[in-house]
Amino acid sequence: MTREKLFALVAIAVVVLYSPEFAHSQVVGDDFAGQINDTAFLPFITQRVYSSLSNTTSTILNSDVGNRASFCVKDREVEWDRAFNFSDNLDFLTACIQKTNGDVTRRVCNSAELKFYFGAFFSGDSYLKPNRNCNITSRVSGCEPGWACATSPDETVDMEDSKNIPARTESCQPCCEGFFCPSGLTCMIPCPLGAHCPTATLDKASGICKPYSYQLPPGMPNHTCGGANIWADIRTSEELFCSSGTYCPTSTQQFNCSKGNYCQMGSTSEKSCFKLTSCDPGSSTQNIHAYGAMLIAAIFTIMLIIYNCSDQIITTRERRHAKTREAAARRAKEKVKAHERWKMAREAAKKHAAQISRTFSRKKAAPQTEEMSILRQSREDVDFDEPVTSSSEENRLELRSQTFKKKDEDLYSHDHVVESKDTSGKKKVQKEKQIHTHSQIFNYAYGQIEKEKAMQENHNLTFSGVISMAVNTETRKRPKIEISFRDLTLTLKGKEKHLLRCVTGKIMPGRITAVMGPSGAGKTTFLSALAGKAHGCKITGSILINGKPDSIHSYKRIIGFVPQDDIVHGNLTVEENLWFSAKCRLPARMLKQDRVLVVERVIESLGLQAVRSSLVGTVEKRGISGGQRKRVNVGLEMVMEPSLLILDEPTSGLDSSSSQLLLKALRRETLEGVNISMVVHQPSYSLFQMFDDLVLLAKGGLTVYHGPVRKVEEYFSGLGINVPDRVNPPDYFIDVLEGMIKPNTSSGVSYEQLPVRWMLHKGYPVPPDMRRNTAMYPEGQVSGNDVNHDDGAAEEYSFAGEIWQDVKSNVEVRRDIIRHNFLRTKDLSNRTTPGLLLQYRYFLGRIAKQRLRESKLQLVDYLILLLAGACLGSIIKSNEETFGAPGYTYSIIAVSLLCKIAALRTFSLDKLQYWRERASGISSLAHFLAKDTIDHFNTAIKPAVYLSMFYFFSYPRSSFAENYTVLLSLVYCVTGIAYMLAIFLDPGPSQLFAVLLPVVLTLVSTQTGDSEFLKNVSKLCYPKWALEAFVIANANRYSGVWLITRCGALLRFGYNVHDWGLCIFVLFMIGVASRISAFFGMLIVHKRWTPNFSTFTSFSSCNANETSNLSPLSITGPMIMHDDIVRLPNISDSHIAPLVLLLT
């Protein structure tokens, strides 16, 4: 290199590094104009020009235009780097310097011109407005597309001036490659990364400058095609974009994609294809269907492992428990047989000893006989504490009784309690041994059960035997509940119709009370009123609990109510149903072995041993028989060891043997002091004799008889009503009350007079209107005052008045239901049941088993999601203009629809079971949280299942994790909305809303008009937030040449790139809010699906109003009154309609 060149190089370096005025003048002065083509100078010149361009382009990002574009620019520095960082390759700038002979900065737009150009996009103008250089009076060739001019050499241009456009009208020539020159401006703007800006060539056939779309201006014959002319939204023009299948490392270079790589539109480099994918030369996308197949295969494999292993674990565990239980039962029975053989051998030995003693000494026969009688009394459970005069006899009796008693206890005991004597001779109970293993627990339980069986067999359930068992100190007593009622009257609100009237009496603990009467007599209403389950009615009279005016709901933890319909979980086994009720309702501190004893005793007494491991069954899937289902229905209340047990027609649908088996089980409960009342229809005579008391009601809820069963025939005989031979007394009495059989004319009593006869018999006051009714009041007993007494006629309402009364009554019913559901009463039951966390744990176990048994239904849901994802992913490809918004819109509709339909099953299919459990005091919050927790598994899996097809078929630029996060939020949101629909609506309307709601809300959310009302409404629609999150996640992957397209699309949609996290948060908050609403709906909404609405209104819409001398009654659950249950439709079948709608 010559000395002159070295000097020039140093001089240029000094100018570049130390001249602050360089940015305001041309790069190369006239002294160095001849050295432009020298390679030694170009790198310095190029770097300085690039620095000037960087300052200019970065200035526009920091100006008010950049501030207006903040909604589409997340990080200005990062976006500038992605669009205008040419530091890797400046060849296009070097070529432009050589082409313009060094006056590039005189031709490049300053900040004011950039602001003028980019500001037109935000104002919505299609063309640039007139400016200083291009207007009506001044239009040079540089104003044409693809051309640019330079400023005067004497004029100093401030590149950072954002207010003044310089005069740029000299030396007009075609735009440099790598730059674009807009029509209406005379300056050049660098093409962003991802663009291809070559010099245009004229297509003589069409007159268009290729590869662009502008034509040569008319009237300018010397004008030629220039460079690029526009950088705009891809919908307006895609001329600048590097085409698909190619990549552009600089704005002047374009190469085809090689094999094994793919190049999307606007790419600056090749992207390697994943393994197991195929990418031919010139590919714009990679075929990643194999990864989708691998993902779905992995998901289904994991699910199969979970379902199969879980089911296998549960089955193995139950089988091991069954073996342990059967072994314990077998050992207990063998011990009983051994005990019987030992007793027979003992009797034989005593007889043989007696014969020998009579042979050798007659005088010793008397003491031996005395000992035999004493032993016989010991065997018959006679009290041994009677005084004995002889001390020798007392010692012999104590020794002999202790010997036999110890042997008997050893046969039945299983090392549960160990007794010892202290020095004073008194017994003391040592600390009971711990029972941990299942074998020990079952040994203890079945030992106690067999012991109780042996006692019953010895007593043969005779009257004396029952009395002996009742007074047995070993029988555990429960807290007693005695209910007395006086003048109990229930009247429908608004209709003044009596359901019960003037019912007086009491139901006693340790006795079984049967409530009988013809249809419409108010039998179920009577028991429901006692249980606090009648609502929508005005109640007068008094109800006392154990002689105190306490609320019956203060004892709800020790009260069992068996509804008429068999409301049990069909997808659980008999044992699982009973165990769940026992866990949630028995005392929390009860030992496990005692719980096992309670459950096993109920299963044994109800004769459910053979079907204990069988599913109860549903309408679609056959399970146990109807009689067994009825006994399971009763067993759900027996396992909680109630003190008051109310049963609504427990023997309906049972044969005679099953009914007697049930009554024997209930009879055993009375031995522990349980107060049992039940509604019975047409019992057999043998069954009728097993009841202790009878409440016989006539139509209108009037009492005909209330007393012991053994005296009912005597009472009616006193009225002249005698039961014929070979006629069942209860059937005959009901036929008399129905009016089908008329009493003897000699008796002078009609069936209408029987309620008044009972009132007069017991000395109860007779209501005045009944006194005036000569058909009801006996002849000769009507006084003049009674006849003339007038309480006033019933108030008559007009048609509008009746409608108003009905509306008022319904509002009062709903108000009272809400009030009673949130009313807290003082607990007087002295029983502490498991808390929220324990019940939540029990619910989790139960619901998990139910979901495992519905695995085929879950599989159908996943298959439909797969089909929807494959269809939408194949048909609707990712749209570059809208960043995939159409595909995401259909995805939101499809996923919302399918997930809502599936989530409806969570709370729709077991509403009746929930109402029963809630009425018994089981936590509603634990029930709701457990179901929602189990549904989180589907919430996490379903987005992955859908994306395994949709994402790998459409392949948007956003990552799989971003799409999964948005879809996870969406599924969580729509699942909560489905909970609300399932709880607040019936199955039919809820499914209809689940289908229509996503479509309607999505249509509202995608409206792009200027209506402020629609914009505000769309903010309340979850599809708006889901679609915005999808589009933002995808738009952030488009940079460089896509910057204007991104800003244009987000401006049309009204989205902001900074709101992605906000969208996810809003979706989750909608899901949380809808779940909270659904939970409170569970506490408030209480519907009953029945074909006979009038029956429902008349009998189960009663509310307990507090009146004087009336204990506060509240609503805790449903009152089941109908013989038939309207079964819920199988929601899974309705998947076909949404799928057809989706595909259409």
Side-chain angles (χ1 to χ4, degrees):
M1 182 179 295
T2 62
R3 181 175 299 179
E4 292 79 4
K5 289 185 178 181
L6 288 175
F7 175 77
L9 184 62
V10 173
I12 291 175
V14 171
V15 171
V16 171
L17 297 177
Y18 298 102
S19 177
E21 295 84 5
F22 185 82
H24 305 285
S25 63
Q26 66 184 40
V27 176
V28 182
D30 295 335
D31 296 335
F32 301 102
Q35 306 294 332
I36 291 298
N37 295 325
D38 196 331
T39 57
F41 294 94
L42 282 180
F44 293 97
I45 299 174
T46 303
Q47 286 293 337
R48 186 54 186 166
V49 173
Y50 173 64
S51 177
S52 178
L53 290 178
S54 299
N55 293 333
T56 304
T57 52
S58 61
T59 300
I60 193 65
L61 291 177
N62 296 322
S63 64
D64 58 342
V65 175
N67 295 331
R68 292 174 64 184
S70 61
F71 71 93
C72 61
V73 177
K74 192 172 184 180
D75 189 332
R76 298 183 184 183
E77 298 297 331
V78 173
E79 294 298 340
W80 178 91
D81 189 69
R82 292 177 179 176
F84 299 106
N85 186 359
F86 308 114
S87 57
D88 292 339
N89 192 331
L90 297 176
D91 292 343
F92 78 99
L93 190 55
T94 301
C96 186
I97 292 173
Q98 292 177 335
K99 180 179 179 180
T100 59
N101 199 23
D103 62 349
V104 177
T105 55
R106 292 170 54 195
R107 298 177 180 273
V108 175
C109 297
N110 71 342
S111 296
E113 291 169 307
L114 290 176
K115 179 180 177 181
F116 179 77
Y117 177 76
F118 289 107
F121 291 103
F122 297 101
S123 61
D125 297 332
S126 303
Y127 301 95
L128 294 178
K129 295 179 180 180
N131 54 75
R132 178 179 181 180
N133 299 315
C134 299
N135 50 60
I136 298 176
T137 60
S138 173
R139 188 171 184 85
V140 295
S141 59
C143 295
E144 300 302 328
W147 277 61
C149 300
T151 59
S152 172
D154 300 331
E155 183 178 359
T156 301
V157 179
D158 186 359
M159 301 298 293
E160 299 181 1
D161 184 4
S162 61
K163 296 181 179 180
N164 301 314
I165 298 178
R168 203 185 301 273
T169 58
E170 298 183 2
S171 303
C172 297
Q173 65 181 34
C175 200
C176 294
E177 289 187 344
F179 292 82
F180 70 97
C181 301
S183 176
L185 280 178
T186 59
C187 60
M188 301 188 304
I189 302 175
C191 291
L193 292 175
H196 184 222
C197 304
T199 301
T201 56
L202 180 62
D203 185 0
K204 296 182 179 180
S206 60
I208 297 176
C209 296
K210 296 292 186 179
Y212 312 110
S213 59
Y214 63 87
Q215 295 179 336
L216 295 178
M220 300 178 68
N222 297 327
H223 197 81
T224 60
C225 291
N229 68 314
I230 186 172
W231 175 33
D233 191 329
I234 193 173
R235 298 195 311 166
T236 304
S237 173
E238 58 180 38
E239 298 169 0
L240 245 66
F241 290 81
C242 190
S243 58
S244 301
T246 62
Y247 66 98
C248 302
T250 65
S251 55
T252 59
Q253 297 175 324
Q254 185 175 19
F255 304 100
N256 290 326
C257 244
S258 60
K259 186 176 182 180
N261 299 284
Y262 69 99
C263 303
Q264 295 173 315
M265 179 178 285
S267 297
T268 59
S269 61
E270 294 180 309
K271 293 183 179 180
S272 300
C273 294
F274 298 150
K275 294 181 179 179
L276 303 180
T277 59
S278 58
C279 291
D280 297 328
S283 297
S284 60
T285 58
Q286 57 178 336
N287 186 354
I288 55 175
H289 298 171
Y291 285 90
M294 291 172 60
L295 177 61
I296 194 60
I299 292 175
F300 273 91
T301 301
I302 294 174
M303 289 175 57
L304 287 175
I305 292 174
I306 293 175
Y307 281 123
N308 290 334
C309 291
S310 301
D311 187 57
Q312 189 67 30
I313 291 172
I314 293 174
T315 303
T316 304
R317 183 171 175 268
E318 292 177 351
R319 185 168 59 248
R320 290 174 62 88
H321 285 184
K323 289 181 179 180
T324 305
R325 184 177 59 249
E326 292 171 0
R330 185 169 57 253
R331 284 193 297 268
K333 291 179 181 180
E334 290 175 354
K335 287 184 178 181
V336 170
K337 292 179 180 180
H339 182 215
E340 294 297 329
R341 290 194 299 267
W342 177 82
K343 287 168 60 177
M344 293 175 62
R346 185 183 64 181
E347 293 294 335
K350 286 191 294 185
K351 290 181 180 180
H352 185 65
Q355 292 177 0
I356 295 175
S357 63
R358 284 196 298 270
T359 302
F360 291 96
S361 177
R362 290 183 176 271
K363 295 181 180 181
K364 294 183 180 180
Q368 185 70 25
T369 304
E370 185 179 1
E371 292 179 6
M372 290 292 293
S373 63
I374 293 174
L375 289 174
R376 188 176 299 110
Q377 291 177 358
S378 175
R379 184 183 62 197
E380 294 177 357
D381 294 335
V382 178
D383 189 5
F384 297 110
D385 294 331
E386 297 179 358
V388 182
T389 57
S390 175
S391 61
S392 61
E393 289 180 354
E394 181 179 359
N395 294 335
R396 183 169 62 251
L397 173 59
E398 181 181 349
L399 178 61
R400 190 70 56 88
S401 61
Q402 285 181 6
T403 301
F404 293 130
K405 186 175 181 181
K406 184 176 181 181
K407 290 178 180 289
D408 292 345
E409 289 181 350
D410 289 341
L411 288 170
Y412 290 111
S413 65
H414 295 275
D415 298 331
H416 182 54
V417 178
V418 180
E419 294 182 352
S420 63
K421 280 192 175 183
D422 56 11
T423 56
S424 61
K426 295 182 180 180
K427 290 185 178 180
K428 62 178 182 179
V429 180
Q430 295 181 356
K431 185 178 180 180
E432 66 178 26
K433 294 185 178 180
Q434 297 294 328
I435 298 179
H436 297 289
T437 64
H438 292 287
S439 178
Q440 293 174 341
I441 292 174
F442 285 123
N443 285 339
Y444 164 74
Y446 277 97
Q448 294 294 325
I449 292 174
E450 293 299 332
K451 184 177 181 180
E452 293 172 1
K453 280 185 178 181
M455 292 174 61
Q456 294 178 6
E457 290 176 359
N458 290 336
H459 295 302
N460 291 325
L461 282 182
T462 60
F463 179 76
S464 60
V466 171
I467 296 300
S468 177
M469 292 176 63
V471 300
N472 188 3
T473 57
E474 294 182 1
T475 303
R476 185 159 55 91
K477 297 295 183 180
R478 305 178 190 175
K480 294 183 179 180
I481 294 181
E482 176 186 294
I483 300 180
S484 59
F485 40 91
R486 184 173 183 82
D487 293 333
L488 184 61
T489 301
L490 273 75
T491 307
L492 275 177
K493 291 182 179 180
K495 296 186 179 181
E496 300 301 328
K497 178 182 178 181
H498 295 297
L499 302 181
L500 284 179
R501 193 170 189 193
C502 301
V503 181
T504 301
K506 66 172 60 176
I507 53 177
M508 305 289 293
R511 301 177 68 85
I512 300 179
T513 303
V515 181
M516 298 177 60
S519 298
K523 302 181 294 299
T524 302
T525 303
F526 168 64
L527 291 183
S528 299
L530 296 183
K533 296 179 181 295
H535 52 277
C537 291
K538 181 175 64 177
I539 301 181
T540 58
S542 63
I543 300 178
L544 302 179
I545 311 298
N546 294 331
K548 299 179 182 179
D550 296 325
S551 171
I552 189 66
H553 297 289
S554 298
Y555 301 88
K556 68 179 180 179
R557 292 184 177 179
I558 54 175
I559 294 177
F561 186 89
V562 180
Q564 176 181 344
D565 299 315
D566 305 329
I567 304 176
V568 293
H569 291 278
N571 50 6
L572 294 177
T573 64
V574 171
E575 186 176 8
E576 289 168 352
N577 273 288
L578 298 178
W579 258 112
F580 179 80
S581 181
K583 287 179 179 179
C584 292
R585 301 174 67 183
L586 284 174
R589 295 184 178 180
M590 178 178 281
L591 298 177
K592 185 175 181 180
Q593 57 265 28
D594 293 330
R595 291 186 183 183
V596 173
L597 174 59
V598 171
V599 175
E600 295 298 327
R601 181 189 290 142
V602 171
I603 293 176
E604 186 76 23
S605 61
L606 293 177
L608 298 173
Q609 281 285 8
V611 294
R612 64 183 303 155
S613 299
S614 302
L615 292 177
V616 173
T618 59
V619 177
E620 296 83 10
K621 188 175 182 180
R622 178 69 177 174
I624 60 179
S625 65
Q628 293 166 340
R629 187 186 181 96
K630 176 73 70 176
R631 281 177 273 164
V632 174
N633 187 34
V634 177
L636 290 178
E637 304 300 324
M638 291 178 60
V639 294
M640 54 86 65
E641 293 196 328
S643 295
L644 173 62
L645 183 58
I646 299 176
L647 304 96
D648 190 5
E649 301 186 23
T651 59
S652 298
L654 298 182
D655 55 16
S656 178
S657 60
S658 298
S659 299
Q660 290 190 8
L661 180 64
L662 177 60
L663 260 294
K664 288 181 180 179
L666 296 176
R667 173 63 65 185
R668 194 243 171 247
E669 295 291 305
T670 60
L671 300 179
E672 298 186 6
V674 181
N675 190 342
I676 299 178
S677 300
M678 65 174 68
V679 175
V680 184
H681 275 304
Q682 296 181 335
S684 63
Y685 183 74
S686 60
L687 194 67
F688 181 68
Q689 292 298 320
M690 297 180 70
F691 297 116
D692 297 312
D693 299 321
L694 172 66
V695 177
L696 193 58
L697 299 176
K699 288 187 176 180
L702 295 167
T703 307
V704 174
Y705 177 81
H706 181 17
V709 170
R710 64 179 182 274
K711 294 183 179 181
V712 62
E713 295 186 48
E714 178 183 348
Y715 169 74
F716 278 100
S717 297
L719 298 178
I721 301 176
N722 297 311
V723 181
D725 296 336
R726 296 185 179 181
V727 175
N728 190 15
D731 292 342
Y732 183 78
F733 296 146
I734 292 177
D735 290 342
V736 170
L737 294 177
E738 285 277 9
M740 300 174 59
I741 298 177
K742 295 183 179 180
N744 297 329
T745 55
S746 60
S747 64
V749 178
S750 64
Y751 72 94
E752 294 96 342
Q753 298 175 357
L754 292 177
V756 178
R757 288 281 188 176
W758 175 253
M759 294 179 185
L760 295 175
H761 174 73
K762 301 296 289 186
Y764 301 149
V766 181
D769 60 329
M770 296 178 65
R771 295 180 184 180
R772 294 192 304 271
N773 191 343
T774 56
M776 298 183 64
Y777 206 72
E779 297 180 3
Q781 300 186 26
V782 182
S783 65
N785 293 332
D786 294 335
V787 174
N788 296 328
H789 182 73
D790 188 9
D791 289 338
E795 185 177 358
E796 295 292 339
Y797 296 101
S798 62
F799 179 75
E802 290 184 2
I803 294 178
W804 169 248
Q805 290 298 323
D806 289 340
V807 173
K808 183 179 178 181
S809 177
N810 292 333
V811 171
E812 289 178 351
V813 170
R814 190 58 53 195
R815 180 200 65 190
D816 292 334
I817 290 176
I818 296 174
R819 178 170 62 89
H820 288 299
N821 284 338
F822 292 97
L823 181 65
R824 298 301 179 201
T825 57
K826 183 179 180 181
D827 183 23
L828 301 176
S829 60
N830 296 324
R831 174 180 290 188
T832 303
T833 55
L836 174 65
L837 293 179
L838 268 181
Q839 292 192 32
Y840 172 73
R841 174 187 170 189
Y842 298 149
F843 270 108
L844 281 180
R846 188 187 77 178
I847 298 171
K849 289 182 180 179
Q850 292 174 317
R851 291 291 189 272
L852 288 174
R853 287 167 182 153
E854 296 173 356
S855 56
K856 292 183 179 179
L857 198 57
Q858 301 290 333
L859 181 61
V860 172
D861 293 340
Y862 296 146
L863 290 177
I864 293 176
L865 275 173
L866 279 177
L867 180 60
C871 292
L872 292 178
S874 303
I875 297 173
I876 305 173
K877 296 295 183 182
S878 181
N879 193 340
E880 304 283 3
E881 299 177 2
T882 57
F883 306 110
Y888 287 132
T889 301
Y890 292 121
S891 294
I892 292 172
I893 295 176
V895 173
S896 299
L897 189 149
L898 296 177
C899 291
K900 280 183 183 178
I901 290 292
L904 289 178
R905 294 193 301 266
T906 302
F907 289 99
S908 289
L909 297 180
D910 59 352
K911 280 187 176 181
L912 298 180
Q913 288 84 347
Y914 161 70
W915 288 336
R916 178 177 182 177
E917 292 170 355
R918 185 183 72 179
S920 63
I922 297 178
S923 173
S924 297
L925 181 59
H927 175 268
F928 185 87
L929 292 178
K931 284 197 168 183
D932 188 36
T933 302
I934 295 298
D935 277 352
H936 287 343
F937 177 78
N938 285 331
T939 303
I941 293 296
K942 286 184 176 180
V945 172
Y946 179 80
L947 289 176
S948 64
M949 291 289 103
F950 176 79
Y951 183 85
F952 294 103
F953 272 88
S954 61
Y955 192 51
R957 295 198 182 187
S958 54
S959 66
F960 185 88
E962 290 173 329
N963 283 268
Y964 177 80
T965 302
V966 178
L967 211 55
L968 178 68
S969 308
L970 176 63
V971 174
Y972 181 81
C973 173
V974 300
T975 301
I977 296 175
Y979 291 168
M980 292 178 56
L981 296 178
I983 290 172
F984 285 99
L985 300 176
D986 291 343
S990 64
Q991 295 181 51
L992 181 62
F993 270 90
V995 174
L996 293 180
L997 202 61
V999 179
V1000 175
L1001 294 183
T1002 304
L1003 290 177
V1004 174
S1005 302
T1006 53
Q1007 296 298 316
T1008 58
D1010 297 330
S1011 175
E1012 290 296 328
F1013 175 75
L1014 284 178
K1015 290 182 180 179
N1016 294 329
V1017 171
S1018 66
K1019 293 180 180 179
L1020 303 176
C1021 303
Y1022 72 88
K1024 183 260 182 188
W1025 302 100
L1027 182 60
E1028 182 173 357
F1030 275 125
V1031 172
I1032 289 174
N1034 207 24
N1036 283 331
R1037 300 289 176 164
Y1038 290 81
S1039 59
V1041 71
W1042 292 98
L1043 189 58
I1044 292 180
T1045 303
R1046 182 212 294 177
C1047 292
L1050 296 181
L1051 182 64
R1052 289 195 309 274
F1053 293 141
Y1055 298 160
N1056 193 315
V1057 292
H1058 303 279
D1059 292 344
W1060 189 84
L1062 175 64
C1063 295
I1064 301 300
F1065 176 76
V1066 170
L1067 287 174
F1068 272 105
M1069 289 308 299
I1070 293 175
V1072 172
S1074 58
R1075 281 165 169 80
I1076 294 175
S1077 301
F1079 172 68
F1080 282 103
M1082 288 176 58
L1083 304 179
I1084 296 173
V1085 177
H1086 190 173
K1087 293 184 178 181
R1088 170 70 173 162
W1089 304 309
T1090 174
N1092 190 350
F1093 182 76
S1094 61
T1095 306
F1096 167 67
T1097 304
S1098 300
F1099 289 98
S1100 68
S1101 296
C1102 296
N1103 177 45
N1105 268 359
E1106 298 180 11
T1107 59
S1108 59
N1109 300 325
L1110 178 64
S1111 62
L1113 300 177
S1114 60
I1115 312 304
T1116 58
M1119 199 168 82
I1120 310 302
M1121 303 252 177
H1122 303 289
D1123 296 331
D1124 297 324
I1125 294 180
V1126 179
R1127 299 294 181 184
L1128 297 177
N1130 189 355
I1131 299 181
S1132 61
D1133 296 338
S1134 64
H1135 278 130
I1136 300 175
L1139 180 59
V1140 174
L1141 177 63
L1142 175 64
L1143 295 180
T1144 304

